């Protein structure tokens, strides 16, 4: 683990648990007379609502009810109501803005466009698709202090496995090198602590049906594994990291008919990107080698990750991004071009944490986001969906540096095409509004003017489109 990742992880620790913060919201609504007139119910209750701060209003709304914290309307007694449309100045893309009611049984607010017996709790809004429809599964992966993301990701990515790859849990570089071996075999990668495998580790291996582990680097407690009836195959010898990466590369050639390697340096931006590089290498079944000398010794053309200077004559390509987040995006784009990798499932994780290597067990590209924030991933997820089609699942982490609630809202929006980045305007703007026609009131039937056309572009070609011939 580098000093940079240590610092990032320490900073991230303070943010643990933010996503699960309480989500208490309240709102009012827009009533109408006729199709194009605004109706505001009279009476002292509504009058008191209308004197609240204007910040609670949104473009196309004259009431004072705030937006929902997220696009979920799934709490106790919650049900979707219907929507109204606002088109003048509420969306930068000139789309038809949808404003929809999330309703709750007996909620102390106005009735709005809610089913009988419910009142409006909050609203959702969109400049694209119907904001009541969440097609993309957002699956949390829980962080644990002792194991990082390994156990949770193994549980999500592997139902059974007769083998597993293990490495020292306190030397993440050994895990980076081990990840492609696990990927080539399609088996879990597990970190083993200084005191050997824990009871939880052994239970997990037993549940998976593991009868053999392949050890990369020195691993403590191999006798415990043997006593549990698990055969230990020591893949490497010695402690030199570059040499170990060459030994793992040699083992991978017995599993996968490789024609490429991936190279990272043990320092600089290249080192910071090592977890994402390891995930890319694992998806392709390409060995991850440490340093230019190791790459030259292995002898295959290599993808060089990072801007660091190198004298490797075997470089077939190198990344061009100059920041950690953008570099992970570049690798995810390359991974999506692999012929046997689905571009419809990804994992996102805070940048700067070496724990990210545990997400290799999900078998999907790993993309890094800034601590607490979605950052460039908001636009990239939309672009990715336009290029490859709608995503089916995004794994996100609950742990150090996890997304704040507002950023989770952006993630839901980007994945489902709500185009909240196009929202604009102030309270009272975009009036009068248009009430939803009867045929458009059911969930999923709202007009989608301004929506992006998923899958409308051709994916790029890359050298990784050369398929790998597996020999398992």
């Amino acid at each position: 683990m580098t000093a940079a990742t240590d610092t990032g992880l320490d900073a991230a620790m303070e943010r643990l648990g933010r996503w699960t913060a309480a989500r208490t919201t309240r709102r009012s609504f827009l009533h109408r007379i006729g199709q194009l007139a605004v109706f505001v119910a009279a009476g002292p209750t509504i009058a008191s609502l209308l004197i609240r701060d204007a910040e609670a209003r949104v473009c196309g709304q004259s009431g004072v009810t705030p937006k929902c914290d997220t696009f979920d309307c799934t709490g106790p007694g919650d049900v979707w109501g219907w929507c109204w449309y606002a088109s003048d100045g509420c969306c930068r893309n000139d789309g038809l803005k949808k404003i929809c009611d999330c309703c709750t049984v007996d909620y102390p607010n106005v009735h709005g466009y809610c089913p009988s017996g419910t009142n409006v709790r909050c609203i959702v809004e969109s400049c694209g698709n119907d904001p009541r429809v969440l097609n993309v599964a957002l699956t949390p992966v829980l962080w644990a202090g002792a194991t990082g993301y390994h156990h949770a990701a193994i549980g999500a990515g592997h139902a059974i496995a007769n083998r597993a790859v293990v490495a020292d849990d306190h030397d993440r570089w050994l895990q980076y090198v081990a990840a492609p071996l696990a990927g080539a075999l399609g088996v879990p990668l597990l970190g083993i602590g200084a005191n050997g495998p824990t009871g939880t580790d052994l239970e997990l291996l037993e549940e998976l049906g593991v009868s053999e582990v392949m050890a990369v680097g020195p691993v403590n407690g191999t006798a415990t594994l043997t006593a549990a009836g698990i055969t230990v195959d020591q893949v490497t010898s010695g402690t030199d990291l570059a040499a170990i990466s060459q030994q793992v590369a040699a083992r991978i050639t017995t599993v996968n008919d490789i024609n490429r390697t991936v190279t990272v340096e043990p320092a600089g931006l290249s080192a910071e990107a090592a977890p994402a590089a390891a995930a890319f290498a694992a998806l392709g079944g390409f060995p991850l080698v440490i340093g230019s000398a190791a790459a030259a010794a292995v002898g295959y053309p290599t993808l060089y990750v990072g801007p660091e200077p190198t004298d490797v004559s075997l470089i077939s390509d190198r990344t061009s991004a100059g920041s950690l987040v953008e570099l992970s995006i570049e690798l995810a784009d390359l991974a999506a071009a692999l012929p046997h990798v689905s571009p419809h499932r990804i994992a996102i994780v805070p940048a700067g944490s070496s724990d990210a290597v545990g997400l290799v067990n999900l078998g999907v590209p790993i993309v890094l986001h800034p601590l607490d924030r979605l950052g460039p991933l908001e636009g990239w997820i939309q672009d990715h969906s336009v290029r490859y089609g709608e995503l089916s699942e995004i794994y996100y982490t609950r742990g150090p540096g996890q997304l704040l609630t507002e950023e989770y809202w952006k993630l839901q929006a980007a994945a489902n095409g709500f185009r909240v980045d196009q929202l604009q305007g102030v309270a009272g703007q975009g009036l009068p509004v248009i009430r939803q026609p009867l045929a458009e009131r059911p969930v999923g039937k709202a007009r989608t003017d301004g929506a992006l056309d998923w899958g409308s572009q051709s994916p790029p070609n890359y050298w990784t489109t050369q398929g790998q011939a597996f020999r398992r």
Side-chain angles (χ1 to χ4, degrees):
M1 186 183 300
T2 66
T5 54
D6 282 335
T7 302
L9 183 57
D10 291 343
M13 286 293 293
E14 299 178 6
R15 299 163 175 85
L16 181 60
R18 292 190 185 221
W19 188 89
T20 53
R23 303 177 182 176
T24 304
T25 58
R26 297 170 58 186
R27 83 161 283 263
S28 168
F29 75 105
L30 190 62
H31 268 242
R32 317 177 23 75
I33 296 177
Q35 283 192 329
L36 297 174
V38 176
F39 170 73
V40 178
T45 300
I46 300 303
S48 65
L49 288 173
L50 292 176
I51 64 174
R52 295 185 184 178
D53 292 341
E55 286 79 9
R57 303 179 180 186
V58 296
C59 184
Q61 179 192 20
S62 64
V64 292
T65 300
K67 294 181 291 184
C68 303
D69 289 342
T70 71
F71 287 93
D72 301 298
C73 187
T74 55
D78 281 351
V79 62
W80 284 115
W82 44 285
C83 314
W84 68 93
Y85 300 142
S87 59
D88 295 332
C90 291
C91 293
R92 279 191 293 272
N93 62 354
D94 294 323
L96 184 70
K97 180 177 177 181
K98 278 69 68 176
I99 307 172
C100 309
D101 288 339
C102 176
C103 310
T104 303
V105 173
D106 296 330
Y107 194 80
N109 200 356
V110 293
H111 183 61
Y113 296 143
C114 290
S116 177
T118 67
N119 297 320
V120 182
R121 179 171 63 82
C122 58
I123 60 168
V124 294
E125 53 182 349
S126 166
C127 285
N129 290 329
D130 188 329
R132 299 168 296 175
V133 179
L134 297 173
N135 286 325
V136 182
L138 300 184
T139 305
V141 182
L142 303 183
W143 180 84
T147 59
Y149 298 113
H150 277 91
H151 279 231
I154 289 172
H158 296 274
I160 57 173
N162 62 349
R163 283 186 289 187
V165 175
V166 297
D168 184 354
D169 194 51
H170 296 284
D171 190 340
R172 293 303 163 87
W173 279 96
L174 289 173
Q175 294 188 40
Y176 302 155
V177 170
L181 178 58
L185 291 167
V187 303
L189 169 68
L190 181 63
I192 301 296
N195 295 321
T198 65
T200 304
D201 292 336
L202 294 173
E203 288 175 6
L204 177 60
L205 294 172
E206 182 180 3
E207 289 172 2
L208 291 169
V210 171
S211 59
E212 179 185 18
V213 297
M214 305 175 74
V216 173
V219 174
N220 292 315
T222 54
T224 302
L225 293 168
T226 302
I230 298 173
T231 302
V232 178
D233 176 4
Q234 186 65 49
V235 176
T236 66
S237 60
T239 58
D240 180 75
L241 185 61
I244 287 174
S245 71
Q246 294 175 54
Q247 293 169 30
V248 173
R251 180 59 70 93
I252 290 176
T253 61
T254 68
V255 177
N256 187 6
D257 186 15
I258 62 169
N259 57 12
R260 294 293 189 275
T261 62
V262 179
T263 300
V264 295
E265 299 290 349
L269 180 59
S270 182
E272 294 181 60
F280 171 79
L283 289 170
F286 308 131
L288 182 74
V289 291
I290 311 302
S292 57
V298 174
Y300 288 106
T302 194
L303 167 67
Y304 190 85
V305 177
E308 286 70 26
T310 181
D311 58 358
V312 179
S313 60
L314 297 168
I315 291 178
S316 60
D317 201 356
R318 67 183 305 160
T319 57
S320 59
S323 71
L324 179 56
V325 170
E326 294 293 344
L327 199 159
S328 74
I329 288 174
E330 186 176 354
L331 288 171
D333 284 336
L334 298 182
L338 286 163
H340 55 282
V341 174
S342 168
H344 304 298
R345 299 169 64 242
I346 62 172
I348 66 173
V349 62
S353 171
S354 60
D355 286 337
V357 69
L359 300 183
V360 166
N361 288 297
L362 299 172
V364 300
I366 294 175
V367 196
L368 308 178
H369 63 78
L371 295 179
D372 300 332
R373 298 179 294 108
L374 197 57
L377 269 59
E378 181 179 6
W380 176 78
I381 287 170
Q382 291 186 129
D383 293 343
H384 185 87
S385 299
V386 168
R387 181 182 298 168
Y388 295 103
E390 187 174 43
L391 290 162
S392 61
E393 186 170 27
I394 299 177
Y395 293 98
Y396 70 98
T397 60
R398 285 181 175 171
Q402 64 188 31
L403 296 175
L404 301 176
T405 300
E406 181 179 358
E407 299 297 310
Y408 180 80
W409 171 81
K410 291 180 183 178
L411 174 62
Q412 289 180 303
N416 291 282
F418 301 150
R419 306 208 68 184
V420 298
D421 56 315
Q422 299 300 312
L423 293 171
Q424 67 176 9
V426 296
Q429 188 176 340
L431 300 174
V433 296
I434 305 170
R435 182 169 53 181
Q436 240 183 350
L438 281 172
E440 298 175 12
R441 294 179 187 177
V443 175
K445 297 298 184 179
R447 262 182 261 171
T448 57
D449 298 17
L452 292 166
D453 187 8
W454 291 155
S456 60
Q457 299 177 8
S458 298
N461 292 320
Y462 188 64
W463 55 260
T464 52
T465 55
Q466 300 179 30
Q468 298 299 297
F470 288 90
R471 296 200 302 261
R472 296 183 182 175

